Amino acid sequence: MSIATMVHLLRERLYWGEQERVPEPDLVMESQAQTDAFALVGEQDGVLAFLYLYNALQISTLIQPGDQVLDLACGPANQLLYMARLNPTVRFTGVDASRSMLQLAQGTVARSQLDNIRLQQGDITHLGTIASASMDCVTCTMSLHHLPDLSALSATVQEIRRILKPGGRVFLIDFGRFKLRSTQRFFADELGQSEQFTQDYFNSLRAAFSVAELQTAAKTLQAGTQVYATVLAPFMVVVRSENRMPWQPGALQRAQTEFNQLSPAQKHNYRNIENWFKMGGHAPPCTMV
């Protein structure tokens, strides 16, 4: 973690004020420029590949062979690919409200040649096409901030509770809301990506829910759900079930293979986020070498 990053985090830690949430200007990402920019950073050599692998490893401890997993707001399906590759005997469904994103996702899945992913359009606040108590696990990665308000967050969590089987598991990860606009600006600019992606990233950070808001929403979920945030400041927040499954045969080896394909910079970022969460109480299920 750079000195500049530490300075911003310490300022966050010491500041007592709160910043008002600013919903994203485009709640559903339909612009071609937006969808293309987002898809690009999530590809195998993209800047966010490390985060997709981190999430997939966490999710892998919550599922077992034959499970049905629903991924909310799946976007271009880059996260789905990591989950499906690590868990080939699990069936995944990706849902997204954006037709543009689903078109990208369809191409992503087709190129992957994986047969355990299907896609459908849907509003995550009202999953009317998903039967009650039909899912073993529900995931949502870096997408809750797209919701317009707390009412929509509550509706989404209630839908998750409805479609989960008794004892079903959940893994939700998203940005937490920083106290200072300057911190949001710093993190948006730090990745050094395209102007389109940087602006979307900044908008996402401003639209993030607070840890307290996410904790309140999590109370709707089944018993045993825990909320974790990165230490010092809530750059990211995880809401997840604590009941862990044994690793599926070959999953750990497949995860190590995926890790080995990351660039040195991506491996560095992976260990940073792993340690950042670990210091906040969210231990990794395994350590990549």
Side-chain angles (χ1 to χ4, degrees), residues 37-256:
F38 186 73
L40 186 63
V41 297
E43 293 180 354
Q44 187 73 34
D45 58 350
V47 70
L48 295 183
F50 78 93
L51 182 59
Y52 292 139
L53 178 57
Y54 175 84
N55 293 338
L57 280 169
Q58 298 288 339
I59 292 163
S60 294
T61 67
L62 299 175
I63 54 183
Q64 56 191 347
D67 273 359
Q68 292 272 8
V69 178
L70 183 68
D71 186 41
L72 302 180
C74 66
N78 292 318
Q79 179 67 76
L80 266 174
L81 286 196
Y82 278 89
M83 298 184 328
R85 283 199 298 260
L86 293 188
N87 304 281
T89 60
V90 173
R91 291 164 289 178
F92 294 91
T93 299
V95 174
D96 203 285
S98 167
R99 288 186 174 87
S100 298
M101 277 296 186
L102 284 177
Q103 288 176 351
L104 284 174
Q106 287 164 357
T108 302
V109 174
R111 289 190 298 274
S112 75
Q113 298 184 322
L114 294 171
D115 61 2
N116 60 333
I117 299 175
R118 69 183 185 94
L119 304 165
Q120 68 180 67
Q121 189 171 13
D123 178 354
I124 66 173
T125 67
H126 183 67
L127 298 164
T129 61
I130 309 296
S132 298
S134 62
M135 292 291 160
D136 298 287
C137 183
V138 176
T139 65
C140 185
T141 61
M142 312 311 296
S143 294
L144 292 176
H145 63 270
H146 290 297
L147 295 168
D149 50 35
L150 284 172
S151 177
L153 176 63
S154 177
T156 298
V157 175
Q158 288 176 28
E159 280 291 84
I160 292 173
R161 178 65 185 263
R162 179 185 66 81
I163 65 178
L164 276 176
K165 295 177 181 178
R169 284 82 65 195
V170 63
F171 182 90
L172 316 175
I173 184 170
D174 205 351
F175 299 116
R177 190 162 71 246
F178 284 128
K179 299 174 184 176
L180 297 166
R181 183 186 173 101
S182 59
T183 312
Q184 295 167 335
R185 188 78 264 174
F186 170 78
F187 275 89
D189 292 340
E190 189 184 34
L191 287 180
Q193 296 300 299
S194 69
E195 182 178 348
Q196 177 70 66
F197 179 80
T198 299
Q199 185 59 48
D200 289 340
Y201 191 3
F202 178 65
N203 291 340
S204 295
L205 290 171
R206 300 201 73 198
F209 293 102
S210 69
V211 175
E213 289 166 343
L214 291 169
Q215 287 173 329
T216 298
K219 292 177 182 178
T220 302
L221 298 171
Q222 298 181 16
T225 303
Q226 299 291 325
V227 179
Y228 301 97
T230 49
V231 75
L232 292 180
F235 174 55
M236 289 186 188
V237 182
V238 165
V239 179
R240 62 160 295 159
S241 303
E242 283 299 278
N243 48 324
R244 296 192 170 190
M245 302 295 177
W247 282 98
Q248 293 187 51
L252 193 54
Q253 183 178 356
R254 288 189 290 270
Q256 186 65 60

